[in-house]
Amino acid sequence: YVNAEKQAHDLLKVSPLVSSVVRHPVIRPVLQVSLKLVLLAHLGYPLVPFGLLKSAKWWQVHKSLYFTGHWPFLLFWAAAPFLKKLLKPAVSDKEGVKITKETKSE
C-alpha cells in the first residue's frame, strides 16, 4: 500500500486534471467514503489466510468468492503503465508550446 500511495501522490503532483477532480468540494466526501470501503475490502481479503491459518480452510473461502480479490490487483498491475501515460500532462517548453513526439523529432 505504501507504493500505491506514493504513486497516487506522484500522480496528483503531475496531473492537474486529477488534482482538480480530487479537490472538488462535492466529489471529495464521496471519494473519501469510497476509498475507505476499497481499503477495507482490500485489507480484509488478504487477511483471510492469516485468520484461518490452514490452506485447506482459506482456499475454500477464496474459492467460494471466485478469487475476486485477486482481479483488482492484477488489473491495476496491467493497466498502471497505460494510466500513467494517459494522465500525465504534455511537457511544455519555455515559450509555453506543448512538446509532443512529433515536435521533438523536428
Side-chain angles (χ1 to χ4, degrees):
Y1 287 109
V2 173
N3 191 25
E5 187 176 340
K6 183 180 175 190
Q7 288 174 351
H9 282 288
D10 291 343
L11 183 62
L12 284 174
K13 289 178 190 174
V14 174
S15 177
L17 174 67
V18 175
S19 182
S20 65
V21 169
V22 169
R23 295 190 197 312
H24 194 276
V26 174
I27 295 175
R28 191 161 180 95
V30 174
L31 188 62
Q32 291 284 337
V33 170
S34 62
L35 287 175
K36 293 292 182 185
L37 290 173
V38 167
L39 182 69
L40 180 65
H42 283 100
L43 283 177
Y45 187 82
L47 287 175
V48 169
F50 291 108
L52 298 176
L53 292 177
K54 292 189 179 184
S55 62
K57 290 181 181 179
W58 64 259
W59 185 262
Q60 291 298 322
V61 173
H62 284 291
K63 190 174 163 186
S64 69
L65 295 172
Y66 302 106
F67 297 93
T68 54
H70 288 67
W71 289 107
F73 293 109
L74 294 173
L75 290 174
F76 179 74
W77 180 71
F82 301 111
L83 289 173
K84 196 172 191 180
K85 286 180 183 178
L86 179 71
L87 295 173
K88 257 190 181 176
V91 178
S92 58
D93 64 358
K94 291 181 183 177
E95 291 102 25
V97 178
K98 288 187 178 181
I99 299 173
T100 61
K101 287 183 181 179
E102 293 82 26
T103 58
K104 277 186 179 180
S105 62
E106 293 176 358

